[in-house]
């Protein structure tokens, strides 16, 4: 997908391209949907600032982790391959247990983790992790970024309280691409 090579300030362009995607079949919709989500996740790293103590060095990688089986994993792995944000290489890790999330800076929590979502979010809260999910209650349960579909298009929702709790700073440019909520989804 050519959009992935775009400069950092072209996230708005990515949103416009995303808005124009019209899938032709259910299988194509899933593939396109997860490619778009992977592109968004790659761009999230460009528009989020972690606290200075979140990394040991300026060149420490930004580790993107996926917890649970999801079509996002291969798309995200492809989207991150060989990419760098600032001086930081981007790495992909597939997790089977939330206890493996210690070095993750971006954590996507798959839908099948719904029953233990609150527990997982509590477990990573102090690690300065940008949590991302697609469950309808994700931001209500204190997840930071939720993907949702609106008329077949991928949209973003940000929980500002959860962002502050994780001591992350999200660019206003990125926030302008989605809707924002406060604790409890309000």
């Amino acid at each position: 997908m050519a959009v992935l090579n775009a400069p950092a300030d072209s996230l708005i362009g990515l949103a416009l391209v995303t808005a124009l995607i019209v899938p032709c079949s259910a299988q194509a919709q899933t593939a396109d949907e997860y490619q778009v989500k992977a592109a968004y996740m790659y761009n999230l790293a460009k528009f989020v600032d972690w606290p200075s103590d979140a990394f040991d060095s300026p060149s420490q990688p930004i580790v993107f982790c996926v917890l649970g089986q999801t079509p996002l994993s291969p798309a995200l792995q492809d989207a991150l391959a060989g990419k760098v944000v600032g001086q930081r290489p981007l790495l992909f890790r597939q997790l089977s247990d939330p206890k493996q999330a210690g070095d993750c800076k971006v954590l996507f929590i798959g839908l099948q983790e719904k029953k233990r979502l609150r527990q997982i979010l509590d477990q990573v809260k102090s690690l300065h992790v940008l949590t991302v999910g697609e469950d309808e209650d994700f931001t209500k349960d204190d997840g930071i970024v939720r993907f949702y579909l609106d008329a077949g298009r991928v949209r973003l929702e940000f929980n500002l309280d959860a962002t502050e709790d994780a001591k992350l700073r999200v660019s206003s440019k990125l926030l302008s691409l989605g809707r924002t909520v406060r604790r409890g989804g309000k």
Side-chain angles (χ1 to χ4, degrees):
M1 188 178 240
V3 174
L4 296 177
N5 295 322
D9 58 344
S10 68
L11 187 59
I12 293 171
L14 173 66
L16 294 173
V17 169
T18 301
L20 297 174
I21 291 177
V22 180
C24 350
S25 70
Q27 187 174 12
Q29 180 175 3
T30 300
D32 286 344
E33 174 186 336
Y34 285 98
Q35 288 173 343
V36 170
K37 289 177 181 180
Y40 267 125
M41 287 192 61
Y42 162 65
N43 280 288
L44 287 174
K46 296 176 183 180
F47 291 89
V48 171
D49 290 325
W50 283 265
S52 59
D53 63 344
F55 295 96
D56 294 332
S57 74
S59 61
Q60 182 179 349
I62 298 174
V63 181
F64 287 72
C65 300
V66 174
L67 179 61
Q69 296 303 313
T70 170
L72 178 67
S73 292
L76 183 58
Q77 191 168 13
D78 289 346
L80 300 178
K83 300 290 190 306
V84 176
V85 170
Q87 299 175 11
R88 300 182 189 284
L90 306 182
L91 300 178
F92 172 84
R93 291 218 176 102
Q94 181 70 49
L95 307 180
S96 58
D97 188 318
K99 293 177 183 164
Q100 300 169 318
D103 64 346
C104 300
K105 295 302 171 214
V106 181
L107 174 63
F108 181 87
I109 302 170
L111 286 171
Q112 71 277 17
E113 300 295 337
K114 181 177 178 69
K115 288 183 181 177
R116 58 184 192 155
L117 178 61
R118 190 59 114 147
Q119 173 191 357
I120 294 166
L121 291 169
D122 286 344
Q123 199 171 345
V124 300
K125 187 181 271 187
S126 65
L127 301 176
H128 310 301
V129 175
L130 178 68
T131 55
V132 183
E134 54 192 355
D135 180 75
E136 148 180 5
D137 294 326
F138 192 78
T139 52
K140 291 177 189 167
D141 286 338
D142 277 346
I144 296 174
V145 180
R146 177 174 79 99
F147 291 126
Y148 67 97
L149 294 178
D150 179 25
R153 296 181 181 127
V154 176
R155 304 289 189 199
L156 300 171
E157 180 175 77
F158 301 92
N159 180 323
L160 299 177
D161 294 318
T163 303
E164 292 166 9
D165 291 346
K167 297 184 177 32
L168 302 176
R169 196 172 59 86
V170 179
S171 161
S172 59
K173 285 182 183 180
L174 181 59
L175 291 175
S176 73
L177 296 178
R179 64 184 181 203
T180 59
V181 297
R182 289 285 181 179
R183 188 135 292 124
K186 298 176 183 166

